Amino acid sequence: MAKRKRGNKTGAGDQPTKRSKSDAAPTVPKLDLAALDKSPFPEKPTTESRKREAQIYELLGSADSQERIAAADALITGLLDSEEVVLGRHLEKRLFRGLASSRNASRLGFSLVLTEILGQLFGPPKNLANSKYSGLDFDKVLGMLTENTQAGFNIPGQEERDFCFGQLFGLQCFVESRILFGDQDSTRWPAVLDMLLQLANKKVWMRSQCAWVIVESLPHMGQERAAETVKKLVDIGLGKTAEGAGIWIKAASCYPQMKLPTKPWSNPLAPKALPDLVNVLKESVKQDDGKDAPVVKGQSSWNPQLHFVWDLILAHFIEQNKPASFKLFWNAVVDDGLFSKNASEAQKFRGFMIFQKFLQGFATAKIVLAKDFFSRNLSKCLVNQAKTEDRYLHRAALKSLKTIETTVETEPTLLIPVLRELLALAYDFDHLTNTKTVEKLLQFVTPDNVKTILNMLREPVSKMTDASIVEHRRFVYTEYVLKMGMQAKLDDSNESSVLELAISELATRAYSKSDEFIPDLSDKTREIFRAKLSSAFARIAKRREEYRYLCDAVLALDPTAVQMSEEIEAERKAALKALKKLLKSAKKSGGGEADSSLGLSLLYAISILQLYDGDPDAISTLQDLKQCSEKLQEADAEASAFLVEILLSLVSRPSGLMRQVTQQVFETFTGQLSADALERLTDPLVAEENIKGQQALFDAEDEDMEDVVGSDESENDEEEDEVSEIGSDVEFVTLNGAEPMEEDDDSNDEAEDNDAEAQELADLDDALAKVLNSHRLDQDNAAESSDESDMSDSDMMALDEKLVEVFKQRAKGSSKKKEKKDAKGTVINFKHRILDFLDIYVKKEALNPLAFNLLLPLLQLIRTTQTKPLANKATEIISNFSKAFKKARSNMEESAVSIETQLGLLQQIHDEASKDAAHAFARAASAASLLVASSLYAADKESVDDVAQLYAELQAKWTKGLLPAKMQASFFFDWVNWSVSHASNAYGPV
């Protein structure tokens, strides 16, 4: 049965229309709050007046504060200009009743209106209840509140809660209107107080809120009424509660001369009363917000407010500013109370919150009491809870540590005392708690306190008797010093001394002996200091303006921990002398010359450190630097080529510091590089990525090299191209949408490795079978039976020799295999470092005609390498060159390139492009070709004829199939797009 076609819901001939976003949600015109009607309300409401009331009361409960204020203004003005019956009706039927509503911000809006109206009715100067509204006396209005906020029987819990809070808000309106005290009727406050106390006794969870209203009233009631209020609290049994303690403390603060009752205590914060106060405040934790346990991992966050008594206690101790008194309170109430062994998790959680509040409060008041805050039980709990994530109070502990960081940031004077306490808890505090608290605090070190903090960090590790923790503690010390120096605010010249002192400390401990450390620093520890120093230097080397810190640290070194021969000592002195001379020259000169001098200074400094480290190549490097300096001073044409050779020798070493330093030095000399220097830079790119390539680049020699090379010539080339591991500092750059060069050789090489390993194991089995005259278990059927007999001692020795020879041959084969793999990795890593240099050069020297000489070697590398990351990186360099040239060309007045030279280069690029059919290679070749075409166009627009002819000739050969490889059509499409773009610029918009 066929489905019935559903008809259109629209009428016949109607076309359904698509609704726009504006149609889907019609905008509501914004209400003009200033236009709200403020006229008096009529005694007999009309339809229009009811609409007006509804609108105003709706706005009065709005969550928008501006709408609430505007509605309150209109309502107050209208009601106080209305008749008494109208005002009474609104008070009874609307305002007091509305306090029990939980809709949006109704209680806030209604309280705002009530507070103002009550003040106008019963307070000076107007006192309208005596003049205009005589029928609305105080008792009647208070009765309206009681009647409209009285919870009935058998109502839901939420409704009962709303009524209770409505009455509380109403009573607070009476307090805030300032009509209960002064010359007014003395019965007003007792009536309100009785209602507050009845509400507090009726619902325990309302007690703290009711008590807070009383606290707010104390400053306005006078000493006599305050004494009566406190006495009444004692009489009904609320004196020995957290609320009673808070009211007691506030009353004593407002009226120091007031005589307070002696029971339950004369002063809750007196030393004699502290034991009772501990129990009272611990008990109050169970009442806080009706909660009795902190949030556990996985639940939604919970951040309840502390009981108001803690704010009053904090204010008291800030005002008194008596450290001894505070310490006594803190240890008794917080440390031994909330953090005792028997304390519940909820009490400890509140303890962390109190710690955070008091730490921030005292910091804001500029009172330093850090030592007292980090009390014994609290500190132990803080460390234990922060240590692992599965601890119940882990998040609370982390928040406390975060509070320490933010507090020190806002009040830097706390850094030293706080840091001293954390280190006293555990010198390796960050390791113990799995946080970065100390590390983050060290970023706030300033030149004013850096020496004090450095001594504080050094003191616990300088003289140590426990040999089991010496090395670990001193390792932590190196991390602290490094973090302190690296986090210094280098943008501010006034902060430089922090970095200088950190660098000096690392360098001194790495190479100098000192009586400060007992026992003396071990070689292992000095190596750690040297590693941290290298990390610091690598950071400094990124910023040319910080080179001096490194050089000054090297000059200030006294290498007493380094043994040097007379020859090495002579080289050291000569190098230091040259370093001082270069720094002096850099200071006098400016511009590029100063940068060059600083660059050489940096190389000298690094080479001197290598000399101290015992690097065998350090002396030759220093000698080369000396020759290079002389050539540069003499403006020798070979100086730049000589410098490139030095940089290549340094960058070939597996060191992140060397990589960073050589790049920075190279950048200072890019403008001085000659064609010969660039050629020496690109020559290694064509080296084979195997042992032969390594030998050609580094003159590698070992006893088995001849055998290895001989075997390489007879082996298949695929075996030479085994997968290598590139150093961890090599960047992996992908081609933008490019396809693989041909195919990924990784899977082939891995398969070959597995096959070769399987064959080696099979050969080993055969060799062992021949020596032992045995066979594998799976060859029982094919094996010949043999007589087993005991072997003599001589036979056993002969057998041992044969077994040793078998395993020796296997080890030798494995060693050669690893050697080939390492050789390939070394060559690839070296090429990556060269590409880093070339990337820097094309970005800085995009308009330099010599830069175009790099295009052909880069294309040859892309085409010949079997390592994909190298090809990707070279492709990206060509792309960066194009972007840099386009950007620099906009500011170029005239081009310095030679038309004839560029056309010859373009022809060579076309020849190279025709040798490979890979998509990725075609894109790189096209980018290089168009870059040269752009340089020709910028130099002379007429040269486009020659460029077009070269493209046409290449396209003709491509069409006829006369090229070595089938080129990608995209190469020619790119040329057409380039032409269209330039034509559009030439003709302008149509």
Side-chain angles (χ1 to χ4, degrees):
M1 184 176 179
K3 281 189 177 181
R4 182 175 62 86
K5 185 175 180 180
R6 177 178 296 179
N8 293 332
K9 291 186 178 181
T10 55
D14 293 343
Q15 294 295 328
T17 57
K18 184 177 180 181
R19 296 180 64 186
S20 64
K21 291 183 178 180
S22 58
D23 294 335
T27 57
V28 178
K30 189 174 182 180
L31 181 65
D32 185 5
L33 298 177
L36 287 175
D37 189 358
K38 299 180 181 180
S39 63
F41 291 89
E43 183 175 348
K44 294 182 178 180
T46 63
T47 303
E48 291 300 322
S49 65
R50 292 184 186 280
K51 289 182 179 179
R52 172 193 169 196
E53 286 184 21
Q55 181 188 38
I56 290 178
Y57 279 103
E58 180 70 22
L59 293 173
L60 196 61
S62 171
D64 188 337
S65 60
Q66 292 183 352
E67 292 182 353
R68 286 201 308 272
I69 293 173
D73 180 41
L75 186 60
I76 293 169
T77 305
L79 288 178
L80 293 179
D81 289 340
S82 302
E83 297 297 326
E84 179 179 312
V85 64
V86 176
L87 177 58
R89 176 170 57 84
H90 278 264
L91 285 173
E92 183 176 9
K93 302 299 183 182
R94 285 282 198 172
L95 293 173
F96 284 124
R97 184 173 295 180
L99 290 175
S101 172
S102 59
R103 181 183 65 87
N104 295 337
S106 292
R107 291 195 182 101
L108 294 178
F110 283 51
S111 297
L112 181 63
V113 174
L114 280 170
T115 301
E116 181 62 25
I117 290 179
L118 290 173
Q120 298 269 9
L121 283 175
F122 307 111
K126 293 186 177 182
N127 203 358
L128 296 177
N130 291 336
S131 57
K132 186 176 180 179
Y133 304 112
S134 57
L136 295 174
D137 57 17
F138 182 86
D139 293 335
K140 183 176 182 179
V141 174
L142 185 61
M144 290 180 183
L145 170 64
T146 305
E147 183 180 351
N148 285 279
T149 57
Q150 190 69 37
F153 296 100
N154 298 325
I155 63 173
Q158 181 60 43
E159 289 187 22
E160 183 182 18
R161 184 181 180 88
D162 289 338
F163 278 114
C164 290
F165 273 106
Q167 188 171 113
L168 176 66
F169 270 75
L171 293 173
Q172 192 168 15
C173 292
F174 279 90
V175 172
E176 292 180 352
S177 61
R178 309 290 176 85
I179 61 173
L180 302 179
F181 312 107
D183 297 332
Q184 290 84 4
D185 189 347
S186 59
T187 62
R188 291 181 180 179
W189 169 243
V192 172
L193 179 60
D194 286 342
M195 291 183 65
L196 286 170
L197 295 179
Q198 289 175 11
L199 187 60
N201 282 327
K202 182 178 180 182
K203 298 295 180 184
V204 176
W205 43 268
M206 291 291 294
R207 183 183 296 172
S208 62
Q209 286 86 348
C210 294
W212 178 246
V213 176
I214 299 174
V215 169
E216 288 183 315
S217 306
L218 284 171
H220 312 291
M221 66 176 61
Q223 181 171 306
E224 183 178 353
R225 285 199 179 98
E228 294 174 357
T229 301
V230 174
K231 186 177 184 303
K232 193 163 189 177
L233 286 173
V234 175
D235 293 341
I236 65 174
L238 288 180
K240 204 170 185 179
T241 61
E243 293 75 25
I247 294 173
W248 211 291
I249 294 169
K250 183 65 175 180
S253 174
C254 294
Y255 311 104
Q257 305 302 322
M258 182 177 66
K259 186 177 180 180
L260 292 166
T262 57
K263 293 182 179 181
W265 39 41
S266 59
N267 179 5
L269 298 177
K272 293 182 179 180
L274 289 180
D276 291 333
L277 185 63
V278 171
N279 295 328
V280 167
L281 295 182
K282 286 177 67 175
E283 186 66 22
S284 71
V285 169
K286 297 180 179 180
Q287 304 169 12
D288 285 358
D289 291 344
K291 306 288 185 178
D292 61 355
V295 67
V296 297
K297 186 177 180 183
Q299 293 181 350
S300 60
S301 60
W302 174 62
N303 185 27
Q305 281 189 329
L306 282 171
H307 197 287
F308 71 83
V309 69
W310 294 104
D311 294 287
L312 299 175
I313 293 173
L314 173 61
H316 168 80
F317 282 113
I318 289 177
E319 182 182 358
Q320 297 293 323
N321 193 12
K322 294 180 179 179
S325 177
F326 173 75
K327 182 178 181 180
L328 189 63
F329 163 81
W330 187 264
N331 288 336
V333 177
V334 178
D335 197 61
D336 293 334
L338 299 178
F339 285 100
S340 65
K341 292 182 179 179
N342 298 325
S344 66
E345 299 293 348
Q347 290 168 344
K348 292 177 181 178
F349 182 80
R350 291 304 195 283
F352 281 132
M353 296 181 67
I354 294 165
F355 170 78
Q356 298 161 22
K357 176 181 284 290
F358 275 59
L359 186 64
Q360 292 174 322
F362 277 97
T364 304
K366 310 292 183 182
I367 300 176
V368 179
L369 294 175
K371 185 176 181 180
D372 298 329
F373 285 126
F374 292 93
S375 48
R376 178 174 54 86
N377 291 333
L378 186 152
S379 300
K380 184 178 179 181
C381 183
L382 180 64
V383 172
N384 289 337
Q385 296 296 332
K387 189 181 301 182
T388 55
E389 292 186 4
D390 59 350
R391 298 297 174 94
Y392 200 56
L393 300 175
H394 177 70
R395 290 171 59 185
L398 292 186
K399 187 175 181 181
S400 297
L401 294 178
K402 182 64 177 178
T403 301
I404 293 173
E405 298 168 17
T406 55
T407 304
V408 171
E409 183 177 8
T410 55
E411 186 53 45
T413 56
L414 285 174
L415 175 61
I416 292 177
V418 167
L419 197 58
R420 183 180 287 113
E421 294 304 318
L422 292 181
L423 295 178
L425 289 178
Y427 187 76
D428 55 345
F429 187 85
D430 287 355
H431 289 260
L432 186 62
T433 59
N434 292 320
T435 63
K436 295 183 178 180
T437 306
V438 175
E439 176 184 330
K440 291 178 180 178
L441 290 177
L442 290 175
Q443 67 181 312
F444 306 123
V445 177
T446 64
D448 296 330
N449 59 22
V450 60
K451 291 184 178 179
T452 303
I453 290 178
L454 195 57
N455 290 332
M456 185 194 306
L457 295 173
R458 187 193 306 125
E459 185 178 356
V461 299
S462 57
K463 294 179 175 61
M464 303 184 66
T465 57
D466 190 349
S468 62
I469 63 173
V470 170
E471 297 297 334
H472 174 68
R473 282 281 185 91
R474 291 176 175 175
F475 168 73
V476 175
Y477 175 61
T478 63
E479 288 189 320
Y480 285 159
V481 176
L482 177 65
K483 296 298 183 183
M484 183 179 69
M486 294 302 96
Q487 294 177 144
K489 299 176 182 178
L490 300 179
D491 293 335
D492 188 346
S493 59
N494 294 327
E495 301 285 346
S496 61
S497 61
V498 177
L499 176 61
E500 288 182 85
L501 282 177
I503 293 294
S504 177
E505 177 70 9
L506 290 173
T508 301
R509 306 310 169 192
Y511 299 104
S512 302
K513 288 186 176 180
S514 174
D515 296 334
E516 292 181 76
F517 287 85
I518 299 175
D520 191 21
L521 297 176
S522 65
D523 292 339
K524 179 181 178 181
T525 303
R526 291 192 189 279
E527 286 298 326
I528 295 175
F529 272 104
R530 293 172 186 178
K532 300 298 182 183
L533 184 64
S534 295
S535 299
F537 283 175
R539 159 78 182 272
I540 295 174
K542 296 179 181 180
R543 297 169 56 92
R544 198 165 302 152
E545 56 270 27
E546 267 75 57
Y547 287 178
R548 289 186 176 277
Y549 300 148
L550 189 154
C551 297
D552 290 341
V554 173
L555 288 173
L557 269 181
D558 182 17
T560 54
V562 180
Q563 295 182 353
M564 289 181 283
S565 63
E566 293 183 2
E567 179 187 1
I568 295 177
E569 180 65 25
E571 288 291 341
R572 182 181 81 90
K573 291 180 179 179
L576 290 174
K577 184 178 179 180
L579 177 57
K580 292 179 181 178
K581 187 177 180 180
L582 284 170
L583 289 174
K584 187 176 181 181
S585 174
K587 190 174 182 179
K588 289 183 179 180
S589 58
E593 186 177 347
D595 290 343
S596 300
S597 298
L598 282 176
L600 284 177
S601 300
L602 187 61
L603 286 181
Y604 262 107
I606 296 298
S607 300
I608 291 171
L609 289 180
Q610 288 182 325
L611 187 71
Y612 296 160
D613 290 339
D615 190 331
D617 297 326
I619 293 180
S620 61
T621 302
L622 288 172
Q623 293 172 348
D624 290 342
L625 286 174
K626 181 180 179 182
Q627 294 181 32
C628 184
S629 299
E630 293 173 353
K631 289 179 179 293
L632 288 172
Q633 290 177 358
E634 298 170 359
D636 192 332
E638 298 180 358
S640 63
F642 194 70
L643 176 65
V644 166
E645 291 291 346
I646 295 175
L647 294 178
L648 289 177
S649 66
L650 294 176
V651 80
S652 63
R653 303 175 188 179
S655 167
L657 173 61
M658 280 301 175
R659 176 189 177 188
Q660 189 63 51
V661 168
T662 51
Q663 288 181 14
Q664 295 300 320
V665 175
F666 180 82
E667 187 173 354
T668 63
F669 283 95
T670 53
Q672 304 177 37
L673 296 183
S674 63
D676 183 32
L678 291 178
E679 186 176 351
R680 297 192 185 192
L681 199 59
T682 56
D683 281 347
L685 294 179
V686 299
E688 297 180 61
E689 295 165 6
N690 50 32
I691 288 183
K692 290 189 293 185
Q694 183 188 38
Q695 183 184 20
L697 290 175
F698 306 109
D699 295 327
E701 294 180 2
D702 58 65
E703 58 184 1
D704 295 326
M705 182 58 68
E706 292 182 3
D707 295 336
V708 172
V709 173
S711 63
D712 284 346
E713 293 176 354
S714 61
E715 291 176 354
N716 191 293
D717 290 340
E718 292 180 354
E719 293 179 355
E720 296 175 352
D721 293 328
E722 293 175 315
V723 178
S724 64
E725 294 180 352
I726 302 174
S728 60
D729 57 345
V730 176
E731 297 177 54
F732 189 89
V733 185
T734 59
L735 289 169
N736 296 328
E739 297 178 11
M741 291 301 302
E742 278 288 323
E743 62 178 351
D744 194 350
D745 292 336
D746 290 351
S747 58
N748 295 337
D749 289 346
E750 184 177 357
E752 291 173 6
D753 288 344
N754 294 336
D755 293 342
E757 186 175 356
Q759 184 60 44
E760 288 180 8
L761 291 174
D763 293 341
L764 177 62
D765 287 339
D766 293 341
L768 291 174
K770 292 178 181 179
V771 171
L772 299 174
N773 192 24
S774 63
H775 59 270
R776 296 202 311 249
L777 293 177
D778 59 352
Q779 296 178 351
D780 282 343
N781 295 331
E784 297 180 359
S785 59
S786 60
D787 296 334
E788 296 182 359
S789 59
D790 294 338
M791 300 179 67
S792 63
D793 292 343
S794 59
D795 292 338
M796 290 290 291
M797 293 179 65
L799 179 62
D800 287 343
E801 292 178 359
K802 292 179 180 179
L803 288 174
V804 168
E805 183 63 25
V806 169
F807 285 106
K808 184 177 179 181
Q809 292 297 327
R810 171 169 169 76
K812 186 175 181 181
S814 300
S815 176
K816 289 181 180 180
K817 177 182 175 182
K818 184 178 184 301
E819 187 177 20
K820 290 195 297 180
K821 189 174 184 179
D822 291 343
K824 182 177 181 180
T826 300
V827 175
I828 291 174
N829 190 54
F830 186 54
K831 289 185 178 182
H832 271 287
R833 302 288 74 79
I834 292 176
L835 292 180
D836 290 336
F837 287 152
L838 298 184
D839 194 32
I840 293 171
Y841 187 84
V842 299
K843 290 177 180 178
K844 289 202 66 178
E845 303 293 329
L847 295 180
N848 192 330
L850 295 178
F852 291 92
N853 295 340
L854 304 177
L855 293 174
L856 200 58
L858 287 172
L859 289 177
Q860 291 171 346
L861 172 65
I862 296 171
R863 180 175 59 83
T864 58
T865 184
Q866 297 295 323
T867 306
K868 189 175 180 179
L870 278 178
N872 292 337
K873 200 167 192 176
T875 303
E876 187 179 14
I877 292 174
I878 296 176
S879 176
N880 291 338
F881 190 0
S882 298
K883 295 175 183 176
F885 179 80
K886 183 178 181 180
K887 183 177 180 181
R889 188 179 61 181
S890 59
N891 300 323
M892 179 181 64
E893 296 181 359
E894 60 182 40
S895 177
V897 299
S898 167
I899 302 296
E900 183 178 353
T901 302
Q902 292 297 88
L903 287 173
L905 175 61
L906 185 60
Q907 179 63 62
Q908 290 178 299
I909 291 175
H910 284 188
D911 292 341
E912 184 68 26
S914 65
K915 296 179 180 179
D916 198 303
H919 288 274
F921 179 70
R923 294 187 182 187
S926 177
S929 178
L930 294 178
L931 176 59
V932 176
S934 298
S935 69
L936 286 166
Y937 186 83
D940 183 5
K941 292 183 180 180
E942 299 300 327
S943 62
V944 173
D945 296 341
D946 297 322
V947 175
Q949 183 177 353
L950 290 176
Y951 267 97
E953 292 175 358
L954 181 64
Q955 186 176 5
K957 293 180 181 179
W958 174 61
T959 305
K960 298 176 183 179
L962 301 178
L963 299 179
K966 182 181 179 182
M967 294 181 61
Q968 296 295 325
S970 61
F971 186 91
F972 302 102
F973 294 156
D974 291 342
W975 160 246
V976 173
N977 292 333
W978 183 92
S979 303
V980 171
S981 175
H982 283 73
S984 299
N985 294 333
Y987 287 102
V990 178

